[in-house]
């Protein structure tokens, strides 16, 4: 197996700063409940909220839809948020929108809890794989149909600690 750099750590950090500035302008000083989708978003959330000036209430949700490199097509709730989001601004933060299954189900779930507003930030998006169309309000990078790892993203639990996005290939 081999890993090659696909998006460098510097490029990621520069983009995170840009997104944080746009988020700050949009929320205009109002508090936002940031919900990181575990496990993959932990690094992006950590960098994003540190770059933001908007007041943040942080929580996490954990769901699972993947085994190996293929989607199982089902979503399992592993850990729900503790916060009551009713009447609050909510920003869901994902690592990657692939088929869109995970985030479309999560958005529907959160909408049912009557937030004041609901937005989505995702570091990566693979448009070629879309099966469930979702609007991404804050997107880091659009990528090709490749399996990527690092900066929170894993292959069977490994490589999340890499500070860059790498392309994984079995050869
Ligand atoms: P979706 O439900 O198909 O959009 O998949 C979303 C989830 O699948 C992400 O939150 C990731 O955990 C995982 N995933 C999708 N593509 C990749 C990839 O290229 N590398 C690592 N994980 C991925």
């Amino acid at each position: 197996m081999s890993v090659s750099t696909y998006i460098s750590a510097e490029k990621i950090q520069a983009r995170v700063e840009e997104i944080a500035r746009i988020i700050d302008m949009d929320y205009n000083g109002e508090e936002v409940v940031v919900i990181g989708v575990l496990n993959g978003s932990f690094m992006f959330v950590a960098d994003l909220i540190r770059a933001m000036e908007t007041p943040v209430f942080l929580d996490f949700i954990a769901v699972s839809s993947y085994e190996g490199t293929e989607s199982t097509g089902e979503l399992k709730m592993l850990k729900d948020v503790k916060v009551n989001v009713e009447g609050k601004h909510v920003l869901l933060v994902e690592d990657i929108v692939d088929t869109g299954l995970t985030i479309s189900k999560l958005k529907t779930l959160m909408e049912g809890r009557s937030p004041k507003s609901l937005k989505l930030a995702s570091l990566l998006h693979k448009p070629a794989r879309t099966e469930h169309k979702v609007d991404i309000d804050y997107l880091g990078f659009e990528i090709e149909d490749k399996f990527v790892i690092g900066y929170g993203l894993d292959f069977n639990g490994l490589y999340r600690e890499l500070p860059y996005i790498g392309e994984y290939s079995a050869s």
Side-chain angles (χ1 to χ4, degrees), residues 63-84:
V63 291
S64 151
S65 72
Y66 263 71
E67 273 169 24
T69 58
E70 288 302 314
S71 172
T72 60
E74 283 171 35
L75 200 67
K76 253 197 297 185
M77 174 68 75
L78 304 176
K79 180 214 168 290
D80 204 344
V81 290
K82 286 189 190 152
V83 64
N84 177 2

Side-chain angles (χ1 to χ4, degrees), residues 6 9 13 16 45 54 57-58 62 71 83 107 121-122 132 135-136 151 154 160 163 166:
Y6 188 58
Q13 293 309 320
V16 167
V45 177
T54 302
F57 185 103
L58 181 64
S71 172
V83 64
K107 273 185 113 172
S122 181
H132 308 260
D135 290 329
I136 304 172
Y151 198 71
D154 75 311
R160 294 192 196 276

Side-chain angles (χ1 to χ4, degrees), residues 66 94-96 98-102 126 146-148 153-154:
Y66 263 71
E94 252 289 27
D95 53 355
I96 185 166
D98 185 35
T99 64
L101 173 80
T102 308
K126 285 185 203 170
K146 293 175 184 298
F147 194 79
V148 289
L153 291 141
D154 75 311

